[in-house]
């Protein structure tokens, strides 16, 4: 008889410092899918849902498709939004009758108007429905602010091991394999989580170069080979969230007799994170450095890629700050592709004017003008589209993306991809789908801090990461924490990574 397994996704990385509340409409702009409709949308894709779909086929499970919900990072979920998505999943579990297991795709950093630990609350509610013996596993983003509540109600937390996150599919396959072993009686996993008194750590989880995170993952890989250990997950945490649980953590799924060893492993990994806490490979530079690099690279092969990391929509950035764009215009830099500026009003202005028209724009800078006011310029409407494409790069390959109604505006020597839905620039299709070949440009600007590297590093002659003063700035003095547990490093200058709480 086939095992009956509920599968659901609830994803959001919440920047609690953002003024933009997250609504159901924000989910619909990326995806909010119920029931069987999940299958055609994600079959063949390289994300977690695609991994679960293939695992259903592999193990012959009888799936209960609940919901798949994912929105661009922004501010807290409204109460209505949270309860709607939560109840889609809980109602599916209640109506399913007997369930043998639950497989979830979570982020681990969702915050709502009523819940500081939304994933923990969801897991607790599911556990109350199915009881203590039904295995529940969840994949997490590497930047989860994971909690003891999540670990208490899950049998395993399986986090990404890459940043850029190109292994969501593999982590879902790993999680599903553990479920199958549990259903067959070969495993009895339970999960523990240890979190130090650290706001930041593990070099933010970057894996594109040798360094701390790769070293930690190598140790985790070795630990997972030991008897009684199922999964060793390292979460780097998401800094821009004012909740008690923000920061790095270690989650270990283990067999009943291996808890002591699991805690030793967590302590060893956290001790290394603490000892190397000052290691940081994010070299933010002033915008002037990017302009100088652009001028120095004229005529050279391959584009200079300028990453506007502090306006990264993938971290809750508003996607409409303008200092980088204004600097390029002022410097008269030519042959530039700029991706992207969120400005639905200007897109509608361009649509009304039509392709080939010239319009006077007041572009970007509308959400918080203190981070750079609108750019006032004469723009040529080069292209109009619905902004839809499928990712074909290393991250989320095959996943449909919608920028909403989109206009390519030529301002001087700059092609600005102007969009109606906030998105992070992680795929070359942001440009290719709009008639722009980024490989032929002298400069390519992306609104991203790290994920862009998977697709853009191979074509770049040089990469410059800039701090434009956006909401995702690494300058912690700009963030006012009120709920964060204290004392905590680096805000309080402590010398004990556990602040009196040993693992």
């Amino acid at each position: 008889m086939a095992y009956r397994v509920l599968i659901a996704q609830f994803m959001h990385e919440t920047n609690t410092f953002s003024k933009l509340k997250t609504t159901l409409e924000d989910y619909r702009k990326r995806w909010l899918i119920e029931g069987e409709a999940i299958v055609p949308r994600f079959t063949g894709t390289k994300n977690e849902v695609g991994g679960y779909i293939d695992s259903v086929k592999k193990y012959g499970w009888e799936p209960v498709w609940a919901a798949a919900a994912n929105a661009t990072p922004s501010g807290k979920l409204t109460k209505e939004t949270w309860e709607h998505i939560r109840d889609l999943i809980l109602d599916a579990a209640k109506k399913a009758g007997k369930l043998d297991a639950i497989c979830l795709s979570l982020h681990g950093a969702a915050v709502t108007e009523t819940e500081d630990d939304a994933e923990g609350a969801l897991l607790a509610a599911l556990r109350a429905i199915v009881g203590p013996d039904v295995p529940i596993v969840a994949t997490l983003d590497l930047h989860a602010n994971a909690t003891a509540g999540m670990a208490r109600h899950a049998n395993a937390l399986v986090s990404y091991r890459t940043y850029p996150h190109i292994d969501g599919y593999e982590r879902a396959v790993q999680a599903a394999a553990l479920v199958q072993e549990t259903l067959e009686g070969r495993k009895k996993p339970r999960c523990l989580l240890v979190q130090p008194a650290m706001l930041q750590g593990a070099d933010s989880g970057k894996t594109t170069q040798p360094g701390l995170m790769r070293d930690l993952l190598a140790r985790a890989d070795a630990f997972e080979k030991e008897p009684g250990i199922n999964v060793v997950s390292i979460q780097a945490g998401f800094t821009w969230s004012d909740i008690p649980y923000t920061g790095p953590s270690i989650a270990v799924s283990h067999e009943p007799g291996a808890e002591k060893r699991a805690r030793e492993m967590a302590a060893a990994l956290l001790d290394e994170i603490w000892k190397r806490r000052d290691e940081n490979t994010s070299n933010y530079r002033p915008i002037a450095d990017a302009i100088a690099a652009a001028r120095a690279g004229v005529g050279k092969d391959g584009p200079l890629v300028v990453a506007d990391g502090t306006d990264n929509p993938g971290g809750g950035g508003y996607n409409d700050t303008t200092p980088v764009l204004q600097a390029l215009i002022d410097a008269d830099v030519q042959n530039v592709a700029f991706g992207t500026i969120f400005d639905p009003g200007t897109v509608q202005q361009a649509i009304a004017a039509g392709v080939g028209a010239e319009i006077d724009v007041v572009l970007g800078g509308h959400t918080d003008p203190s981070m750079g006011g609108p750019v006032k310029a004469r723009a040529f409407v080069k292209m109009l589209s619905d902004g839809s494409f499928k990712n074909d790069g290393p991250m989320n390959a095959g996943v449909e993306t919608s920028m909403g109604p989109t206009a390519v505006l030529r301002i001087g020597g700059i092609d600005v991809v102007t969009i109606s839905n906030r998105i992070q620039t992680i795929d070359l299709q942001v440009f290719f789908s709009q008639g722009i070949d980024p490989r032929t440009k002298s400069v390519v600007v992306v609104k991203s801090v790290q994920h862009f590297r998977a697709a853009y590093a191979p074509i770049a002659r040089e990469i410059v990461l800039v701090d434009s003063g956006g909401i995702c700035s690494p300058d912690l003095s700009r963030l006012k924490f009120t709920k964060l547990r204290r004392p905590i490093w680096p805000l309080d200058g402590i010398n004990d990574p556990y602040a009196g709480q040993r693992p």
Side-chain angles (χ1 to χ4, degrees):
M1 184 174 176
Y3 294 116
R4 191 167 172 79
V5 181
L6 182 140
I7 297 170
Q9 180 186 63
F10 166 51
M11 299 281 284
H12 196 256
E13 186 176 66
T14 306
N15 186 322
T16 65
F17 300 98
S18 169
K19 62 173 65 176
L20 300 177
K21 292 183 178 181
T22 302
T23 66
L24 283 170
E25 184 59 27
D26 293 316
Y27 273 90
R28 294 184 182 106
K29 287 176 179 177
R30 184 173 277 187
W31 62 76
L32 178 57
I33 307 169
E34 299 178 39
E36 295 280 348
I38 292 170
V39 179
R41 178 67 180 269
F42 293 105
T43 295
T45 63
K46 290 300 180 181
N47 70 354
E48 300 94 302
V49 182
Y52 284 139
I53 289 171
D54 285 353
S55 296
V56 166
K57 297 174 184 175
K58 177 178 180 179
Y59 300 121
W61 292 344
E62 179 185 344
V64 176
W65 302 105
N70 196 332
T72 294
S74 48
K76 292 181 182 180
L77 278 70
T78 65
K79 181 175 183 289
E80 174 197 15
T81 302
W82 154 241
E83 291 179 352
H84 179 86
I85 297 170
R86 177 199 65 190
D87 291 347
L88 284 176
I89 297 170
L90 298 184
D91 288 349
K94 292 172 184 176
K95 293 174 183 176
K98 182 181 182 298
L99 285 170
D100 296 301
I102 295 176
C103 291
L104 300 173
S105 164
L106 306 176
H107 185 287
V111 182
T112 81
E113 291 178 330
T114 58
E115 295 285 352
D116 285 342
D117 177 15
E119 289 93 345
L122 176 63
L123 284 161
L126 285 168
R127 181 59 72 193
I129 292 169
V130 301
D133 300 323
V134 171
I136 301 176
V137 301
T139 59
L140 296 181
D141 192 284
L142 184 152
H143 296 105
N145 288 324
T147 70
M150 295 180 201
R152 185 180 309 118
H153 300 295
N155 297 85
L157 300 173
V158 185
S159 294
Y160 300 157
R161 301 171 87 83
T162 59
Y163 182 32
H165 306 325
I166 58 174
D167 65 330
Y169 178 93
E170 288 78 9
R171 299 289 72 78
V173 168
Q174 180 186 7
L178 179 58
V179 165
Q180 181 68 14
E181 288 183 292
T182 304
L183 292 172
E184 293 174 353
R186 293 185 286 135
K187 297 279 190 179
K188 295 182 179 180
R190 63 277 322 273
C191 191
L192 64 84
L193 183 131
V194 182
Q195 182 172 51
M198 300 179 71
L199 174 59
Q200 297 176 315
D203 190 21
S204 299
K206 291 188 286 293
T207 59
T208 48
Q209 65 280 319
L212 176 53
M213 191 63 184
R214 284 196 190 178
D215 294 345
L216 293 167
L217 288 168
R219 295 188 70 180
D221 288 341
F223 286 150
E224 285 185 356
K225 292 181 172 64
E226 294 190 22
I229 303 300
N230 300 313
V231 184
V232 180
S233 289
I234 302 163
Q235 295 77 230
F238 177 67
T239 302
W240 296 273
S241 188
D242 184 18
I243 58 173
Y245 322 104
T246 302
S249 62
I250 306 295
V252 184
S253 174
H254 60 89
E255 293 299 292
E259 180 175 350
K260 181 176 182 294
R261 180 57 181 147
R263 291 194 178 277
E264 291 172 349
M265 292 175 178
L269 292 168
L270 289 173
D271 284 348
E272 184 165 0
I273 292 173
W274 174 257
K275 290 173 185 174
R276 300 172 65 178
R277 59 191 179 276
D278 292 321
E279 293 187 21
N280 183 356
T281 57
S282 293
N283 180 25
Y284 281 91
R285 294 160 63 181
I287 294 172
D289 285 6
I291 299 301
R295 286 172 168 158
V298 173
K300 294 183 179 179
D301 291 336
L304 165 72
V305 176
V306 178
D308 189 357
T310 59
D311 190 33
N312 170 28
Y318 296 140
N319 199 176
D320 75 342
T321 67
T322 57
V324 175
L325 178 59
Q326 189 65 64
L328 290 165
I329 293 171
D330 292 345
D332 195 26
V333 179
Q334 298 295 304
N335 196 28
V336 179
F338 196 105
T340 58
I341 287 285
F342 169 70
D343 192 333
T346 298
V347 172
Q348 290 303 312
Q349 180 188 357
I351 291 172
V355 172
E358 287 194 351
I359 57 177
D360 292 315
V361 297
V362 182
L363 179 64
H366 300 300
T367 308
D368 188 344
S370 71
M371 297 178 182
V375 169
K376 297 178 181 179
R378 187 76 170 163
F380 173 78
V381 182
K382 186 177 177 183
M383 180 175 174
L384 298 169
S385 78
D386 66 1
S388 297
F389 61 85
K390 279 190 177 182
N391 292 341
D392 62 5
M395 187 172 172
N396 289 334
V399 174
E400 295 178 15
T401 299
S402 173
M403 299 187 291
T406 297
V408 178
L409 302 178
R410 171 68 62 84
I411 301 175
I414 307 169
D415 289 334
V416 184
V417 180
T418 310
I419 61 176
S420 301
N421 296 342
R422 295 167 53 252
I423 67 154
Q424 183 178 182
T425 311
I426 65 171
D427 199 280
L428 294 176
Q429 285 298 328
V430 168
F431 295 106
F432 278 126
S433 67
Q434 304 308 306
I436 301 168
D437 185 344
R439 300 167 300 182
T440 66
K441 294 297 183 179
S442 180
V443 178
V444 173
V445 179
V446 296
K447 295 278 188 172
S448 177
V449 68
Q450 177 74 2
H451 284 323
F452 74 93
R453 293 178 187 270
Y456 287 86
I459 70 167
R461 72 169 185 268
E462 182 183 357
I463 293 173
V464 177
L465 175 65
V466 299
D467 183 348
S468 66
I471 196 174
C472 297
S473 171
D475 182 357
L476 297 181
S477 68
R478 301 182 191 177
L479 306 180
K480 306 303 179 187
F481 291 98
T482 61
K483 289 186 174 182
L484 183 66
R485 67 194 182 284
R486 306 297 282 264
I488 197 166
W489 183 88
L491 301 183
D492 300 316
I494 61 172
N495 294 313
D496 179 3
Y498 303 105
Q501 299 181 21
R502 300 303 301 181

